[in-house]
């Protein structure tokens, strides 16, 4: 079984910063693509940022310049540094990753349960 566990969410004032973490736990052989998504109340889940196995990052256009995605492969971890947070950044943030449990098996898609970020005025 593979579990993706997010952490780092919380309450922050507008203009502040948070750093989210995602760690893959359980039986993990390898991870290729990883991404952060978010879902605000009443809205569809949207892609925030993605990072591939070579640490090449991509971002939603509206977030580029404020958010930075990174990964630390030795710990099967991914991070999202969020700066200059705005009220509209309030959402549940989800970790997504393609994970292989064993050598020679195909990579499968996994989701974390999310960590809530609330930005106040």
């Amino acid at each position: 079984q593979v579990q993706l566990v997010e952490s780092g969410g919380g309450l922050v004032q507008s203009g502040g910063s948070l750093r989210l973490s995602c760690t893959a736990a359980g039986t993990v052989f390898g991870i290729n693509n990883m991404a952060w998504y978010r879902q605000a109340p009443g809205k569809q889940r949207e892609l925030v940022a993605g990072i591939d196995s070579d640490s090449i990052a991509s971002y939603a256009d509206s977030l580029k310049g404020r958010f930075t995605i990174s990964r630390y492969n030795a710990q099967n971890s991914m991070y999202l540094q969020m700066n200059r947070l705005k009220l509209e950044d309030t959402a549940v943030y989800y970790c997504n990753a393609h994970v292989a449990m064993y050598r020679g098996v195909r990579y499968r898609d996994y989701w974390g349960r999310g960590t809530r970020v609330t930005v106040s005025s």
Side-chain angles (χ1 to χ4, degrees):
Q1 182 67 40
V2 175
Q3 293 181 336
L4 301 181
V5 181
E6 304 99 333
S7 63
L11 176 65
V12 63
Q13 290 189 342
S14 62
S17 298
L18 285 174
R19 188 172 191 252
L20 306 183
S21 298
C22 171
T23 299
T27 305
V28 178
F29 170 75
I31 305 172
N32 48 31
N33 297 332
M34 305 184 78
W36 287 100
Y37 289 76
R38 70 182 184 184
Q39 187 167 20
K43 296 184 178 180
Q44 298 294 312
R45 186 173 298 187
E46 64 175 345
L47 177 65
V48 174
I51 186 165
D52 67 16
S53 59
D54 293 320
S55 295
I56 298 174
S58 60
Y59 302 89
D61 288 341
S62 63
L63 303 177
K64 204 168 188 177
R66 294 194 298 120
F67 289 11
T68 302
I69 189 172
S70 61
R71 64 191 292 169
Y72 183 32
N73 293 330
Q75 294 184 347
N76 294 326
S77 298
M78 176 181 63
Y79 311 94
L80 184 69
Q81 179 66 46
M82 305 186 294
N83 298 323
R84 301 186 302 281
L85 284 161
K86 303 175 180 179
L87 294 177
E88 54 263 41
D89 294 322
T90 295
V92 177
Y93 285 72
Y94 296 92
C95 176
N96 172 253
H98 293 93
V99 181
M101 295 179 67
Y102 305 99
R103 182 190 298 271
V105 305
R106 70 185 181 96
Y107 287 75
R108 297 178 182 270
D109 192 47
Y110 293 89
W111 290 88
R113 293 188 176 185
T115 184
R116 185 175 298 275
V117 172
T118 303
V119 183
S120 64
S121 61

